[in-house]
């Protein structure tokens, strides 16, 4: 890269940091600066490839810009954009080691990434991400241990701890994902209630869902198509709800227009038995 | 894999030698050693002949036997054997000079061989050496075979740096050749090449190359090669905890089914680990179970133990309690102790005991790389606790459940119970308003579809096995209008079959 090219990039980056640190900052200006920076970076070796080595300065600059982008995405409440930035950043965090010091933002952003995976209920991805980090590091670092602890609570079913944790996040930027996580958890709780409790008073349900205001609860009930009886009690067909997932998968099954019931899934159909038996007969014919 | 390699290396000569006294014993041991060396050299010679035949006939299947034979040659391979073979079959000077840098001087004869034995050998070797050379250069397949022997010898003796150099040139020879008869040899070379890089701590740098070779061998439909390369890649990913990439690789390829069981066992083990990390425990369980079944009956103890550790962990994560008899088996008793303790804690449903066990054996679990899975077991402890309570009480208040499980927050117990019901860990209903847990009557499984499905699965499996064995049968061409074999021919054939059976049995011993 030519020296002048790098110079102009640096000055752009300085402009961006200035803009970012202004309170209140101008969102549109930040965004346009960030975009032009990212475009400019693609013209240089901002990722080391087989063809040419990037200099330390270039790598650090590229990393800083991407980190800025990730933070901006959180500010902008754009989950997809945030995860895209992190995917790019992971190259710098894990693969490019070439003598550059670890970024000060690294742990915080990785912690945020873990939290975003949790909020989206992508537990498999969450765990493969955790595997990449050393256990000691997770235990010592507050940014990383926070989502890991939350995951354990989630698995266990200690949902109240999730809502308590809302109050003591390690950094303000965690707030957005905590909101998302709270929603995901609420949906999970709602599912569990509908499967476990045949009848429950509206008040108790509201408390279990950690919803404080009545109107909010009302919209939640409507969203889930729950039926609130006159006496303020919610009734659930727990049997049917328990096999809900299966019902969804098998809803293409021929049912002659009537609804599938729980009994349909557990009982044997004559047709099925006959088909299987004929199949066996055919196979046996082949052998003898 | 290191453990596997170690246990595969018995020293057959030491047995019983001590009891016989003094010089007698020494002489006897020396004679025995000499004997063993001679038979090994003979074996290698036979295999080289077979290679030559394979190349002339252009039949890649004939190469398979010499390659599989490497497993039991390896047990008796030492520097003297390697030297004798190379000295015997190498005519070309360059070859000799090249191999000499790894196995030492080839010009001086071994002192262990006296003159009477030397001469017949020389002439037999001479004849063989002439047939395997075409215009002064050795047939590439034979050359690679010799090279493989040298590499195996280097790796087994811990000469890592030399092995790396040796593997590099060997790989060069394999890549430059495109004959089908090279494929089975190439598969073996890939494995040892990756192994040489691994012992030097450089396996991760090899990924690009391995992927490239995988593409080539897929195009050539070289199944052994594909299987070996896929395993090497998965191993390298898992070593660096890159489960995402490993999963993507597995998702995009189809694993050749007809390869040797040892490859399959490894592949299933890696798959199991990937799935377990991704929380897909029932899949993981199936794969690990397959791995433990495909493993050879004798030997490969290190591999078996590792698979067993993972199997127990995944079974626990599934909420099952492994059978007690498994922990008592001789092979596993010692290495499974930490897992046994964890199982006991879970069975009892006691959180405190679980935490204690976890603390005691943390280092062991970290070494086994199962720590992150074991940590996930915490909620299983609670789940088993709930299960026991549910089957003991038809109706119990949530507060009492909290007390029994030693959980502080009653509020959380509501959620935990609701979750357990929702996941079908227990068959019960939660009456939230009165705060009680009411368990359902036990359902009669035989009235449902389950037994039907289970039987169907087993029958399908049997039919599938039958189908495959029919497909695997081979008939020699045009044998149907040949004459019936004479008694002598039959004897010869039976002897050959017995030999083959012995080889297969030997090879089972060795998973490498």
């Amino acid at each position: 890269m030519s020296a002048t090219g790098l110079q102009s990039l640096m000055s752009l980056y300085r402009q961006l940091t200035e803009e970012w640190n202004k309170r209140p900052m101008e969102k549109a200006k930040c965004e346009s600066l960030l975009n032009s920076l990212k475009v400019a970076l693609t013209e240089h070796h901002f990722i080391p490839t087989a063809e040419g080595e990037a200099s330390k300065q270039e790598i650090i600059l590229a990393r800083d810009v991407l980190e800025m982008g990730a933070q901006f995405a959180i500010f902008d409440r754009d989950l997809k954009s945030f995860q895209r930035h992190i995917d790019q950043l992971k190259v710098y965090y894990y693969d490019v080691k070439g003598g550059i010091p670890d970024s000060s933002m690294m742990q915080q952003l990785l912690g945020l990434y873990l939290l975003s995976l949790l909020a989206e209920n992508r537990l498999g991805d969450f765990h493969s991400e955790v595997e990449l980090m050393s256990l000691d590091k997770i235990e010592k670092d507050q940014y990383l241990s926070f989502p890991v602890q939350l995951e354990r609570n989630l698995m266990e079913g200690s949902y109240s701890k999730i809502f308590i944790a809302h109050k003591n996040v390690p950094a303000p930027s965690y707030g957005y994902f905590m909101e998302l996580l709270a929603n995901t958890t609420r949906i999970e709780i709602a599912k569990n209630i509908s499967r476990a409790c045949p009848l429950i008073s509206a008040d108790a349900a509201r408390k279990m869902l950690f919803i404080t205001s009545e109107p909010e609860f009302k919209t939640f009930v409507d969203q889930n198509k729950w039926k609130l009886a006159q006496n303020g009690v919610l009734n659930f067909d727990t049997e049917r709800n328990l096999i809900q997932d299966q019902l969804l998968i098998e809803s293409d099954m021929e049912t002659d227009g009537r609804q599938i019931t729980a009994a349909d899934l557990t009982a044997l159909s004559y047709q099925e038995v006959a088909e299987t038996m004929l199949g066996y007969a055919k196979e046996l014919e082949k052998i003898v | 894999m290191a453990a596997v390699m170690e246990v595969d290396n018995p020293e057959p000569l030491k047995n019983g030698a001590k009891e016989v006294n003094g010089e007698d014993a020494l002489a006897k041991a020396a004679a025995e050693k000499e004997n063993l060396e001679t038979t090994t050299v003979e074996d290698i010679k036979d295999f080289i002949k077979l290679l030559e035949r394979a190349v002339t006939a252009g039949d890649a299947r004939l190469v398979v036997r010499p390659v599989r034979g490497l497993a039991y040659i390896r047990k008796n391979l030492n520097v003297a054997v390697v030297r004798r073979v190379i000295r015997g079959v190498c005519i070309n000077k360059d070859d000799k000079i090249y191999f000499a840098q790894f196995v030492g001087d080839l010009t001086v004869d071994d002192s262990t061989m006296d003159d009477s034995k030397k001469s017949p050998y020389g002439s037999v070797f001479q004849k063989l050496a002439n047939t395997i050379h075409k215009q002064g250069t050795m047939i590439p397949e034979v050359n690679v075979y010799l090279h493989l022997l040298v590499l195996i010898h280097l790796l087994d003796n811990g000469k890592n740096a030399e092995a790396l150099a040796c593997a590099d040139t060997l790989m060069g020879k394999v890549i430059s050749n495109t004959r089908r008869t090279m494929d089975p040899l190439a598969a073996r070379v890939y494995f040892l090449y990756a192994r040489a890089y691994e012992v030097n701590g450089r396996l991760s740098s090899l990924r690009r190359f391995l992927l490239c070779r995988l593409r080539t061998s897929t195009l050539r439909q070289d199944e052994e090669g594909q299987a070996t390369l896929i395993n090497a890649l998965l191993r390298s990913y898992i070593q660096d905890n890159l489960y995402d990439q490993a999963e993507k690789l597995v998702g995009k390829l189809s694993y050749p089914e007809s390869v040797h069981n040892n490859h399959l066992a490894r592949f299933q083990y890696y798959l199991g680990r990937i799935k377990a990390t991704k929380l897909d425990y029932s899949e993981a369980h199936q794969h690990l179970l397959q791995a433990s079944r495909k493993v050879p009956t004798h030997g490969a103890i290190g591999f078996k133990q590792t698979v067993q550790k993972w199997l127990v962990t995944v079974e626990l994560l599934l909420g099952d309690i492994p059978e007690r008899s498994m922990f008592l088996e001789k092979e596993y008793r010692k290495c499974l102790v930490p897992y046994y303790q964890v199982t006991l804690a879970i069975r009892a449903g006691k959180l405190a005991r679980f935490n204690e066990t976890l603390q005691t054996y943390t280092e062991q679990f970290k070494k086994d790389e199962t720590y992150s899975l074991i940590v996930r077991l915490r909620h299983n402890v609670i789940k088993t606790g709930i299960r026991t309570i549910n089957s003991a009480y038809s109706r119990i208040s949530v507060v009492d459940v909290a007390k029994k499980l030693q959980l502080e927050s009653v509020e959380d117990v509501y959620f935990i119970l609701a979750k357990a019901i929702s996941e079908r860990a227990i068959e019960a209903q939660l009456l939230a308003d009165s705060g009680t847990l009411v368990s359902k009557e036990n359902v009669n499984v035989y009235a449902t579809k389950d037994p039907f499905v289970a039987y169907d699965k087993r029958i399908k499996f049997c039919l599938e096995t039958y189908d495959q064995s029919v497909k695997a049968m081979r008939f020699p061409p045009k044998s149907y209008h040949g004459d019936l074999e004479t008694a002598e021919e039959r004897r010869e054939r039976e002897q050959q079959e017995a030999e083959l059976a012995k080889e297969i049995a030997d090879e089972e011993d060795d998973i490498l």
Side-chain angles (χ1 to χ4, degrees):
Chain A
M1 183 197 287
S2 63
T4 50
L6 190 61
Q7 281 302 321
S8 69
L9 266 180
M10 288 297 261
S11 76
L12 254 175
Y13 177 68
R14 264 195 298 277
Q15 233 178 310
L16 176 65
T17 31
E18 250 173 55
E19 207 54 54
W20 175 257
N21 289 327
K22 264 188 206 162
R23 287 291 175 266
M25 71 165 185
E26 288 175 58
K27 197 180 142 195
K29 202 168 174 190
C30 264
E31 195 171 4
S32 76
L33 269 173
L34 200 57
N35 283 339
S36 55
L37 253 174
K38 278 193 277 188
V39 172
L41 276 176
T42 56
E43 288 162 19
H44 303 285
H45 287 305
F46 77 107
I47 278 182
T49 53
E51 287 96 52
E53 280 294 305
S55 72
K56 276 185 197 175
Q57 211 179 1
E58 283 171 283
I59 292 175
I60 292 175
L61 180 67
R63 192 184 66 189
D64 288 349
V65 171
L66 286 172
E67 281 179 348
M68 206 61 125
Q71 289 178 60
F72 183 79
I74 297 176
F75 176 79
D76 199 24
R77 304 193 148 231
D78 187 346
L79 181 67
K80 287 280 163 273
S81 155
F82 171 75
Q83 286 174 345
R84 240 182 354 256
H85 278 101
I86 294 290
D87 278 338
Q88 285 179 308
L89 273 171
K90 279 199 296 196
V91 179
Y92 295 92
Y93 290 158
Y94 293 128
D95 301 329
V96 184
K97 296 225 170 70
I100 55 165
D102 276 353
S103 158
S104 57
M105 290 296 290
M106 176 168 144
Q107 315 291 11
Q108 192 182 334
L109 284 174
L110 285 177
L112 274 167
Y113 182 57
L114 288 180
L115 194 58
S116 78
L117 291 177
L118 268 192
E120 279 194 297
N121 219 355
R122 284 163 58 188
L123 291 177
D125 293 333
F126 176 87
H127 279 290
S128 27
E129 214 51 51
V130 170
E131 287 292 326
L132 288 171
M133 305 163 190
S134 77
L135 289 160
D136 300 333
K137 213 161 121 192
I138 292 173
E139 270 160 35
K140 276 183 203 131
D141 192 278
Q142 53 156 343
Y143 295 117
L144 296 180
S145 60
F146 181 72
V148 169
Q149 191 53 47
L150 281 184
E151 193 268 344
R152 279 180 205 163
N153 292 336
L154 272 178
M155 289 307 283
E156 203 176 290
S158 306
Y159 295 128
S160 69
K161 294 205 177 76
I162 308 286
F163 291 90
I164 294 167
H166 211 308
K167 288 171 200 121
N168 35 26
V169 290
S173 49
Y174 279 58
Y176 167 51
F177 290 129
M178 282 310 283
E179 276 172 40
L180 289 184
L181 181 62
N183 272 332
T184 318
T185 316
R186 237 171 239 136
I187 292 167
E188 192 69 22
I189 295 173
K191 190 181 88 188
N192 292 348
I193 291 178
S194 74
R195 287 174 176 190
C197 310
L199 63 117
I200 184 171
S201 73
D203 211 35
R206 190 174 57 80
K207 269 187 201 143
M208 276 184 91
L209 287 163
F210 295 93
I211 297 175
T212 37
S213 74
E214 283 291 342
E216 239 180 278
F217 180 63
K218 191 95 187 29
T219 39
F220 191 86
V221 167
D222 291 341
Q223 263 171 16
N224 283 283
K225 293 184 185 140
W226 286 355
K227 287 184 189 74
L228 193 56
Q230 286 295 321
N231 52 0
V233 174
L234 288 158
N235 283 303
F236 296 106
D237 180 357
T238 48
E239 284 302 315
R240 193 183 148 76
N241 288 336
L242 265 175
I243 49 168
Q244 190 75 48
D245 304 333
Q246 256 172 297
L247 284 177
L248 285 176
I249 298 165
E250 304 196 11
S251 59
D252 328 329
M253 247 172 34
E254 285 177 46
T255 49
D256 309 328
R258 68 191 167 81
Q259 261 203 331
I260 317 169
T261 59
D264 279 340
L265 285 175
T266 42
L268 274 173
S269 78
Y270 297 113
Q271 194 182 351
E272 209 174 332
V273 176
E275 270 171 15
T276 324
M277 291 305 155
L278 283 173
Y280 295 157
K282 213 163 106 193
E283 291 288 336
L284 280 175
E285 280 284 281
K286 269 200 256 172
I287 294 172
V288 183
Chain B
M1 203 63 54
V4 179
M5 313 246 335
E6 279 158 30
V7 293
D8 283 344
N9 246 338
E11 288 170 59
L13 300 177
K14 285 185 178 167
N15 297 345
K18 274 179 196 157
E19 285 152 31
V20 194
N21 52 354
E23 286 170 27
D24 244 19
L26 275 176
K28 208 174 163 195
E32 237 176 71
K33 192 175 166 212
E34 167 77 33
N35 231 333
L36 206 66
E37 275 174 16
T38 312
T39 42
T40 313
V41 171
E42 280 294 311
D43 283 340
I44 296 175
K45 242 169 54 193
D46 286 345
F47 285 142
I48 290 177
K49 265 186 222 154
L50 208 57
L51 276 177
E52 193 270 333
R53 248 175 63 206
V55 174
T56 331
D59 188 354
R61 256 185 300 133
L62 286 176
V63 186
V64 174
R65 241 183 92 197
V67 172
R68 294 201 165 165
L70 280 173
Y72 76 83
I73 287 183
R74 179 171 162 230
K75 287 180 194 159
N76 302 323
L77 200 64
N78 60 24
V79 77
V81 172
V82 179
R83 272 189 205 151
R84 260 160 80 176
V85 173
I86 291 175
R87 206 169 38 226
V89 295
C90 283
I91 296 181
N92 198 322
K93 210 162 183 195
D94 291 344
D95 287 340
K96 267 191 186 168
I97 293 172
Y98 177 73
F99 287 129
Q101 60 174 314
F102 297 117
V103 292
D105 204 356
L106 289 166
T107 46
V108 191
D109 216 325
D110 267 26
S111 52
T112 48
M113 258 169 61
D114 51 65
D115 290 333
S116 59
K117 280 179 190 162
K118 218 187 300 175
S119 46
Y121 265 118
S123 68
V124 176
F125 260 130
Q126 194 60 44
K127 216 174 128 200
L128 180 63
N130 284 334
T131 52
I132 61 167
H133 282 73
K134 299 263 144 69
Q135 281 133 26
T137 44
M138 208 188 291
I139 296 173
E141 280 79 357
V142 178
N143 192 326
V144 165
Y145 197 70
L146 288 182
H147 210 140
L148 263 175
L149 286 176
V150 175
L151 180 55
I152 291 173
H153 169 70
L154 289 175
L155 278 173
D156 282 353
N157 287 287
K159 293 179 180 162
N160 295 345
E162 285 153 315
L164 195 64
C166 180
D168 273 333
T169 25
L170 177 55
M171 191 46 103
K173 283 182 194 171
V174 170
I175 292 177
S176 61
N177 190 298
T178 53
R179 278 202 287 203
R180 287 293 74 73
T181 38
M182 187 64 102
D183 286 347
L185 285 164
R188 205 77 206 130
V189 173
Y190 295 142
F191 179 84
L192 291 166
Y193 181 67
R195 177 80 196 142
Y197 269 76
E198 193 188 327
V199 291
N200 283 289
R202 285 175 51 191
L203 187 56
S204 57
S205 65
L206 220 58
R207 271 178 223 141
R208 188 199 287 249
F209 174 79
L210 291 176
L211 280 168
C212 189
R213 292 314 296 170
L214 178 58
R215 206 162 48 212
T216 318
S217 65
T218 311
L219 283 174
R220 288 183 190 162
Q221 305 194 327
D222 163 21
E223 297 203 330
E224 288 279 322
Q226 284 175 50
T228 319
L229 286 165
I230 293 168
N231 282 344
L233 274 166
L234 288 180
R235 182 167 176 74
S236 114
Y237 285 136
I238 288 179
Q239 208 172 47
D240 292 345
N241 287 330
L242 294 165
Y243 287 95
D244 253 345
Q245 293 188 34
E247 200 197 21
K248 275 173 193 147
L249 177 71
V250 174
K252 283 186 174 54
L253 49 83
S254 57
Y255 197 80
E257 289 289 328
S258 61
V259 291
H260 195 268
N261 266 354
N262 292 350
H263 290 308
L264 277 176
R266 267 199 212 100
F267 180 64
Q268 295 287 358
Y269 162 66
Y270 292 137
L271 269 187
R273 282 189 64 167
I274 295 167
K275 295 284 176 203
T277 310
K278 289 269 179 185
L279 294 125
D280 194 345
Y281 301 129
S282 52
E283 280 269 313
H285 185 250
Q286 271 181 15
H287 289 307
L288 289 168
L289 206 61
Q290 284 283 335
S292 71
R293 280 186 191 149
K294 300 259 181 201
V295 113
T297 359
H298 306 290
I301 295 171
F303 182 76
K304 275 192 214 163
Q305 288 177 341
T306 315
V307 171
Q308 213 61 34
K309 284 174 192 169
W310 278 82
L311 200 56
V312 172
T313 315
V314 169
E315 241 169 70
L316 288 173
L317 279 165
L318 274 171
D320 297 338
I321 303 291
E323 271 179 44
R324 194 190 180 87
S325 60
M326 199 186 63
F327 293 107
L328 298 175
E329 263 174 60
K330 212 173 95 203
E331 279 173 339
Y332 307 129
R333 193 186 295 165
K334 221 166 165 187
C335 70
L336 286 181
V337 166
Y339 298 88
Y340 182 55
Q341 291 301 330
V342 169
T343 311
L344 288 182
I346 292 178
R347 226 177 95 84
K350 293 239 160 64
L351 261 183
R353 185 165 172 193
F354 175 74
N355 288 336
E356 221 173 84
T357 319
L358 194 59
Q359 252 171 13
T360 330
Y361 295 110
T362 304
E363 287 311 309
Q364 182 64 39
F365 291 137
K366 278 185 183 167
K367 214 177 116 214
D368 292 346
E369 295 172 348
T370 49
Y371 184 72
S372 56
L373 287 174
I374 298 281
V375 173
R376 294 187 205 164
L377 277 171
R378 200 188 118 92
H379 76 270
N380 280 59
V381 184
I382 300 175
K383 225 190 244 173
T384 358
I386 294 176
R387 249 188 225 167
T388 336
I389 291 172
N390 184 52
S391 53
Y393 296 86
S394 59
R395 178 182 278 266
I396 185 172
S397 83
V398 176
V399 183
D400 286 341
V401 175
K403 259 187 218 154
K404 283 192 186 299
L405 292 176
Q406 297 163 320
L407 291 170
E408 286 152 27
S409 150
V410 179
E411 199 185 7
D412 273 339
V413 176
Y414 276 100
F415 294 121
I416 293 170
L417 288 175
K419 191 164 186 270
I421 295 170
S422 165
E423 284 169 358
R424 319 203 84 171
I426 52 171
E427 295 280 337
Q429 288 187 329
L430 186 63
L431 302 176
D433 294 318
S434 58
T436 44
L437 179 76
V438 182
S439 52
K440 282 184 212 163
E441 293 295 311
N442 278 341
V443 270
N444 178 12
V445 194
Y446 289 97
T448 65
K449 223 187 210 174
D450 293 358
F452 175 73
V453 174
Y455 270 126
D456 186 47
K457 220 162 128 191
R458 285 174 209 182
I459 293 170
K460 288 242 167 75
F461 176 78
C462 292
L463 290 172
E464 178 74 9
T465 315
Y466 176 79
D467 264 1
Q468 278 185 358
S469 48
V470 170
K471 277 184 202 157
M473 281 197 253
R474 284 188 189 286
F475 303 98
K478 288 181 189 166
S479 64
Y480 43 86
H481 50 67
D483 293 328
L484 288 171
E485 56 184 356
T486 61
E488 198 183 332
E489 273 170 356
R490 200 186 69 221
R491 256 201 305 283
E492 200 178 312
R493 181 177 54 84
E494 275 170 356
Q495 197 193 340
Q496 262 180 12
E497 276 169 1
E499 253 172 53
L500 196 66
K502 187 177 157 283
E503 259 168 45
I504 290 169
D506 276 343
E507 174 200 338
E508 291 262 287
D509 288 352
D510 193 325
I511 194 177
L512 183 89

